[in-house]
Amino acid sequence: MLSDILYYFVYASAVLLYGVGLDRVVVLSPKPSHGVLACLKMLLSVSASSAISYLINCYLLVPVHLTELAPFFAVLVFVLIAVFIEIIIRISAKNSVAECCVSFLCVLLGLTEGSSIASCVIISCVAVVIFYLFVPVLFAIRRRIKLSPLPRAFRNESVIFISIAIIMIMLLAWNVSWLNPGVLK
């Protein structure tokens, strides 16, 4: 279980390697202050949707050999839970935190990568957490770009994506098992 958390939190970051919400995190990075309520709502909806979708997949779809319909049922479950939690948040906090695309992609990642209900929920929740932890990193990169003079040929978004690519290369560079001389023989 701990290995799943560390793998999806550090090495296989859902934002960097799977691309879950990469465009959305770049949009959110100029104002990272709204993240706590949205992260809480997303964690609640993703964990509940992942668990229920996994149970539907295992106990309803697998016995009748209809696993191709798993994303359809995941969408139905996710929409019902997300709308319910959104209504509760709007009534209690008088605030809207509607985010659908990234949440559903986290649910799908958990369903496809999880081998048990616990690993499915953990993978989905870690994907949500790493999404919201990456927003301050991009905010810091944006602030650094504003402080340094750039040539006119560069736009801020292009430098941000170059920085993301460098971070991805740094994450992937530690696995250099292909440099072992025994592998090439």
Side-chain angles (χ1 to χ4, degrees), residues 28 37 43 88 130 143 149 176 184:
L28 289 176
L37 188 60
L43 277 174
I88 291 174
I130 199 66
R143 295 287 299 247
V176 289
L184 297 176

Side-chain angles (χ1 to χ4, degrees), residues 107-154:
V107 169
L108 281 182
L109 178 67
L111 282 175
T112 57
E113 297 286 324
S115 59
S116 68
I117 190 167
S119 67
C120 175
V121 172
I122 286 174
I123 290 169
S124 300
C125 290
V126 167
V128 169
V129 169
I130 199 66
F131 174 80
Y132 279 101
L133 287 179
F134 198 62
V135 171
V137 171
L138 283 183
F139 179 72
I141 291 172
R142 278 187 189 271
R143 295 287 299 247
R144 180 66 183 127
I145 290 171
K146 285 182 182 177
L147 294 175
S148 62
L150 288 174
R152 289 192 181 267
F154 285 115

Side-chain angles (χ1 to χ4, degrees), residues 157-169:
E157 287 78 19
S158 63
V159 176
I160 289 172
F161 280 115
I162 290 170
S163 302
I164 291 172
I166 291 170
I167 292 171
M168 288 173 66
I169 290 170

Side-chain angles (χ1 to χ4, degrees), residues 50-128:
S50 296
I52 294 171
S53 297
Y54 185 83
L55 291 174
I56 288 173
N57 192 21
C58 284
Y59 294 112
L60 290 178
L61 298 178
V62 170
V64 293
H65 306 292
L66 290 175
T67 54
E68 298 86 14
L69 295 176
F72 174 72
F73 283 103
V75 167
L76 290 178
V77 168
F78 174 74
V79 167
L80 289 174
I81 291 174
V83 167
F84 177 72
I85 292 174
E86 179 70 23
I87 289 171
I88 291 174
I89 288 177
R90 280 192 185 185
I91 290 172
S92 62
K94 308 282 190 249
N95 194 359
S96 175
V97 288
E99 174 59 52
C100 207
C101 183
V102 175
S103 304
F104 181 66
L105 290 175
C106 292
V107 169
L108 281 182
L109 178 67
L111 282 175
T112 57
E113 297 286 324
S115 59
S116 68
I117 190 167
S119 67
C120 175
V121 172
I122 286 174
I123 290 169
S124 300
C125 290
V126 167
V128 169

